Amino acid sequence: MVDFTLGEELEALRDSVREFAHDVVAPVIGDYYERHAFPYDLVRQMGKMGLFGLPFPEEWGGMGGDYFALCIALEELARVDSSVAVTLEAGISLGAMPIYRYGTDAQKHQWLPKLTSGEALAAFGLTEPGAGSDAAGTLTRAVLDESTDEWVINGSKAFITNSGTDITALVTVTAVTGTNPDGSKELTAIIVPSGTPGFTVQPGYSKVGWCASDTHELSFDDVRVPAANLLGERGRGYAQFLRILDEGRVAFAALGVGLAQGCVDESVAYARQRHAFGRPIGANQAIQFKIADMESRAHTARLAYYDAASRLVNGRDFKRQAAIAKLASSDAAMLNAREATQVHGGYGFMNETPVGRMYRDAKILEIGEGTSEVQRMIISRSMGL
């Protein structure tokens, strides 16, 4: 028998995060969003709630949960705001998780307690101005100076989340460190602490959405870090980060479902209270059917990420399911955001309304952590095509 009912612990987590999102995030996030300001106070409170430690063992300061718990929290946050949700998602799946998965004991002891408590954030430096979906096109280079036992890094990264906050502790970057026997680039992951000489965080982007999250271009000019800052195995950086991206797509899917469901929540509430021609607009079948389709999309996408997350935490292959969940959730988010804006009419076009923000936030879900086209490539290749 297949049962999609969540256990008591996950239900309790869902309730607590939902309460936090509605009572704490919702009243203030619009102001942060309009000012393009990073919500340090909200991040601090999420840290105190233990959200940044959800999928990590207690020995590293975590909550002893798993990716399913993280996904539940992300969905509830994104029902209200995606900037806060992606700060948590990137802080865990792209920031702390590479250290946990591939770090040495010394690296874990140095960084994980700060990251799992929310005291500090870490970022994932993969994308470059000329290398997005094609990560093998990486141009950033790192050379090992054997005389000083240091990596010397030169290059740049683009669109990096959580990379320039006052509490950003490090960025893990992928760099070309040589050539493989087959002639391809040898890619290696290296930890670069914030404040390292030559490491410059460029001014924040002016973004269409996620306006209360932190995103920067990064430049590296003869940046020197100890050889011990190698993360994982030399030459395995690409493979390591493919695994990290697969996991991250499950979390990203949960975020997309949250946005899609948030559009439903706002549309139902508005359709009940907005009157036209002497009755609530929700009494009109055209609106009813539109919202019914929105709910169907959110529900279907939720089942997809539940499946992917279940496979992940149970040690089963989940790569195809992660791609399906990410594709389904981003499609649902985009379509629901458009329809929610239509339900709200002129009010939906105003940035200060939740659906106005959701409409702006939805598009990046078809791009970040692997475009929708990349997800279709993964799915079709897994079918032998």
Side-chain angles (χ1 to χ4, degrees):
M1 178 179 178
V2 177
D3 186 359
F4 294 103
T5 303
L6 300 180
E8 290 184 7
E9 290 187 5
L10 287 179
E11 285 289 1
L13 173 66
R14 181 193 292 278
D15 290 344
S16 65
V17 178
R18 181 176 297 176
E19 181 179 358
F20 171 75
H22 283 274
D23 296 349
V24 180
V25 177
V28 301
I29 195 59
D31 178 60
Y32 283 110
Y33 202 94
E34 289 301 306
R35 293 188 290 113
H36 290 237
F38 187 75
Y40 288 101
D41 185 55
L42 298 178
V43 171
R44 189 176 304 112
Q45 292 182 68
M46 288 195 293
K48 291 180 179 178
M49 292 172 66
L51 299 188
F52 284 95
L54 276 174
F56 301 104
E58 294 179 7
E59 66 177 303
W60 301 115
M63 299 295 289
D66 55 31
Y67 247 87
F68 213 121
L70 171 61
C71 289
I72 295 300
L74 289 172
E75 181 184 345
E76 292 304 321
L77 287 171
R79 286 177 75 160
V80 170
D81 177 71
S82 291
S83 293
V84 172
V86 78
T87 298
L88 178 65
E89 189 272 337
I92 292 176
S93 66
L94 301 182
M97 194 57 71
I99 306 293
Y100 173 65
R101 293 283 188 216
Y102 304 111
T104 63
D105 284 345
Q107 290 168 343
K108 292 177 182 178
H109 280 292
Q110 181 179 3
W111 300 113
L112 282 183
K114 300 175 185 178
L115 301 178
T116 58
S117 67
E119 174 187 341
L121 294 173
F124 172 97
L126 177 66
T127 303
E128 297 188 0
S133 298
D134 179 17
T138 298
L139 296 179
T140 296
R141 292 189 171 272
V143 177
L144 185 61
D145 184 343
E146 296 183 357
S147 66
T148 60
D149 203 29
E150 293 176 318
W151 289 106
V152 183
I153 306 170
N154 286 279
S156 63
K157 299 294 178 177
F159 314 127
I160 308 303
T161 303
N162 291 346
S163 60
T165 74
D166 293 343
I167 58 174
T168 299
L170 66 102
V171 177
T172 301
V173 300
T174 50
V176 179
T177 52
T179 303
N180 292 315
D182 63 359
S184 63
K185 294 176 179 178
E186 176 189 83
L187 291 178
T188 301
I190 302 171
I191 297 171
V192 180
S194 297
T196 302
F199 172 26
T200 303
V201 179
Q202 303 296 339
Y205 293 100
S206 175
K207 296 176 292 186
V208 171
W210 285 0
C211 294
S213 71
D214 178 83
T215 318
H216 297 267
E217 183 172 350
L218 310 176
S219 61
F220 305 87
D221 184 10
D222 285 336
V223 173
R224 288 179 172 269
V225 298
N229 282 29
L230 173 74
L231 183 63
E233 299 178 39
R234 176 169 179 166
R236 293 288 296 168
Y238 189 53
Q240 291 170 189
F241 278 86
L242 285 179
R243 166 72 188 202
I244 291 297
L245 285 173
D246 285 338
E247 294 181 355
R249 284 167 185 151
V250 181
F252 217 67
L255 192 156
V257 169
L259 190 151
Q261 190 64 56
C263 289
V264 176
D265 299 341
E266 294 295 330
S267 296
V268 169
Y270 188 76
R272 287 173 173 167
Q273 62 91 19
R274 171 68 169 173
H275 283 67
F277 304 104
R279 64 177 186 172
I281 63 171
N284 299 313
Q285 193 175 71
I287 298 296
Q288 294 171 357
F289 282 12
K290 192 182 294 290
I291 296 176
D293 287 343
M294 292 165 63
E295 174 69 8
S296 296
R297 281 190 287 267
H299 179 73
T300 302
R302 181 179 297 108
L303 295 180
Y305 97 67
Y306 273 24
D307 178 39
S310 177
R311 286 172 171 269
L312 192 166
V313 300
N314 285 298
R316 300 170 61 194
D317 181 64
F318 66 96
K319 188 179 185 71
R320 181 199 299 187
Q321 287 73 20
I324 291 171
K326 205 270 185 182
L327 180 62
S329 69
S330 57
D331 283 350
M334 272 297 293
L335 289 170
N336 280 15
R338 186 184 69 187
E339 296 289 51
T341 302
Q342 193 70 20
V343 169
H344 282 71
Y347 289 106
F349 198 61
M350 300 297 108
N351 282 330
E352 64 265 25
T353 63
V355 295
R357 295 194 297 272
M358 290 172 179
Y359 189 79
R360 294 170 65 181
D361 290 339
K363 180 58 190 175
I364 189 60
L365 298 175
E366 295 185 314
I367 300 171
E369 297 207 30
T371 64
S372 293
E373 289 75 17
V374 166
Q375 306 316 309
R376 291 184 172 95
M377 287 170 52
I378 292 170
I379 296 165
S380 59
R381 287 175 180 174
S382 74
M383 299 167 66
L385 299 176

